[in-house]
Amino acid sequence: MSALPKNVVELTQALVRIPSVNPDGDPGTDGIGEERCARFIAEFLEASGAEAFLDEVEPGRPNVIGRFPTNPSPDGAPKPRILFAPHTDTVSVGGMTIDPFGGELRDGKVWGRGASDTKGPMASFLWALHKMRDEIPNLPVEVHFAGFMSEESAQLGSQHFAKHHGRYDLAIIGEPTSLKTVFRHKGCLWADVHTSGVAVHGATPELGVNAIVKMAKLVAALDSDFRELLAEASGADEWLGVSTINLGMIQGGTRSNIVADACKLRVDIRTTPGLQRAGGALALLTDFVQRIDASARVTVASEAFHLDTDPANPFVQKLIAAGAELTGAPWFCDAAFLAAAGTPAIAIGPGSIAQAHTKDEFIAVSDLEAGVDFFRRFLSSLAG
């Protein structure tokens, strides 16, 4: 690091200017992988007094971990541990209308991919920790930081961390939540529905069986009857509403003059605790599909858990007391994987989720500064 950023805005700009696009799908750039960003963060953490290291999850794709020094508690008892944990990867830059890695400061905003999701919130974490570096050792908690790779696809970083680094008393996951405490969020099932047919020459389609036509019947049913069934099974959650389905991608056939012998539909089901209690999304989907087409199959592409952290957790209560009211979210994040491994977790950060993944992503300077003030206030309240 040639020179330390002078404020949270400069830190956000520096982070945005380091390409760290998740390589899955079509990244829209050669600037993929999280290693450069992780190394920058490690240097900043060390400049803030923390011990920092990279923990490789996949080749060239590490988590970055920082541990701030801590003085013994007066009674000698182990201190509770809290974790600040944003993610270092971003989504694709394809179709953006601004320089994705420009980090331009204009109209009171920092512009670029990740400004909102989630390099801006991460900068607020890091700058608050930097400003509190002399006070952190005497807090009645240990303070750690983890920058997770791969949150935007597969969540490999948080799963690896949960497996290898033990439990915390609270994990504070960085996401743009308008500084509200997301203690409940939906889970997500990505599943593939497969139909099969018999391939013949396109000139004699009556001799074959068209898998696309079979899928068309399922598409209509999933977009109507199953959508209603899903909402009924999940019930109306006070914070999350009902479970939903999106029919996201479809692939079928090999040539226009061949009757399609296979078709695949990718669905995205956002799940609630109520749906899980009703048997889960996969069982409901599989039963529905096979009642319409007994030869169809359902396979799991990936599954993320819902989050349901007890708001009575004393550290969650400290967040609320510092001004971060409770809320729920329809999306999911790394918090769920830490919670599944035994660490109570919430998501919080400055900025709006409405700006995440957009073609002209930005975060307001005032939001960044409010984030720093909030996290300093939260940390200071722990001493009281």
Side-chain angles (χ1 to χ4, degrees):
M1 185 178 296
S2 57
L4 199 70
K6 296 183 179 65
N7 51 54
V8 68
V9 174
E10 288 191 6
L11 180 54
T12 302
Q13 290 177 291
L15 290 167
V16 169
R17 288 168 180 162
I18 303 173
S20 56
V21 177
N22 194 297
D24 286 2
D26 179 10
T29 177
D30 293 332
I32 60 174
E34 300 89 347
E35 185 169 7
R36 278 187 60 205
C37 188
R39 291 192 181 280
F40 176 91
I41 294 165
E43 290 184 33
F44 185 86
L45 286 165
E46 289 172 347
S48 302
E51 171 199 8
F53 61 97
L54 303 188
D55 186 14
E56 192 167 73
V57 181
E58 291 197 332
R61 302 188 65 192
N63 287 337
V64 54
I65 298 171
R67 295 170 179 164
F68 285 83
T70 188
N71 295 325
S73 58
D75 61 2
K79 291 181 177 180
R81 302 195 307 165
I82 63 172
L83 177 72
F84 287 87
H87 61 87
T88 55
D89 65 325
T90 71
V91 294
S92 167
V93 301
M96 291 193 73
T97 58
I98 59 171
D99 181 350
F101 310 121
E104 181 185 7
L105 177 60
R106 173 172 50 86
D107 301 329
K109 302 166 184 174
V110 177
W111 302 76
R113 178 57 83 222
S116 173
D117 186 15
T118 191
K119 292 180 176 180
M122 174 161 54
S124 289
F125 281 2
L126 288 168
W127 197 253
L129 294 171
H130 179 74
K131 299 295 284 185
M132 295 279 291
R133 61 191 181 278
D134 294 331
E135 300 163 62
I136 286 174
N138 294 317
L139 292 176
V141 295
E142 288 187 29
V143 177
H144 294 181
F145 178 95
F148 294 142
M149 52 77 75
S150 180
E151 191 274 345
E152 295 291 0
S153 180
Q155 300 77 49
L156 302 176
S158 55
Q159 294 182 67
H160 183 274
F161 184 90
K163 181 178 180 180
H164 295 284
H165 295 279
R167 288 186 66 257
Y168 283 75
D169 293 273
L170 184 70
I172 300 171
I173 305 301
E175 294 287 348
T177 71
S178 302
L179 286 177
K180 295 182 180 181
T181 301
V182 173
F183 76 110
R184 300 185 84 177
H185 69 53
K186 289 183 177 180
C188 178
L189 172 69
W190 284 0
D192 292 325
V193 180
H194 306 262
T195 54
S196 58
V198 177
V200 298
H201 198 290
T204 56
E206 69 278 3
L207 300 179
V209 177
N210 195 315
I212 293 175
V213 173
K214 292 171 72 176
M215 185 65 78
K217 184 177 180 182
L218 278 168
V219 166
L222 288 168
D223 197 40
S224 55
D225 294 345
F226 184 75
R227 191 180 299 280
E228 295 177 6
L229 178 64
L230 192 61
E232 181 181 345
S234 66
D237 187 281
E238 175 187 2
W239 295 94
L240 305 178
V242 299
S243 293
T244 60
I245 182 171
N246 177 57
L247 313 185
M249 295 188 295
I250 192 164
Q251 299 168 311
T254 55
R255 288 178 58 91
S256 57
N257 61 350
I258 301 175
V259 170
D261 65 352
C263 189
K264 181 175 75 171
L265 170 71
R266 171 67 57 86
V267 301
D268 174 344
I269 300 177
R270 300 301 167 120
T271 60
T272 63
L275 182 61
Q276 196 63 35
R277 290 191 294 269
L282 179 61
L284 195 70
L285 176 65
T286 301
D287 178 70
F288 182 87
V289 165
Q290 293 188 340
R291 280 192 282 114
I292 293 174
D293 182 347
S295 66
R297 298 181 297 112
V298 176
T299 59
V300 175
S302 67
E303 186 166 15
F305 310 107
H306 67 265
L307 179 70
D308 192 10
T309 295
D310 185 357
N313 177 289
F315 292 110
V316 174
Q317 287 295 308
K318 286 285 189 180
L319 288 167
I320 297 169
E325 64 185 79
L326 293 174
T327 192
W331 38 262
F332 71 93
C333 68
D334 284 321
F337 293 93
L338 297 183
T343 290
I346 57 90
I348 189 172
S352 169
I353 196 67
Q355 289 305 320
H357 304 187
T358 57
K359 63 183 179 181
D360 57 350
E361 185 174 352
F362 67 80
I363 191 168
V365 168
S366 58
D367 287 343
L368 290 170
E369 293 171 342
V372 175
D373 290 343
F374 173 81
F375 292 115
R376 291 185 70 182
R377 188 162 66 248
F378 165 71
L379 285 169
S380 295
S381 76
L382 302 181

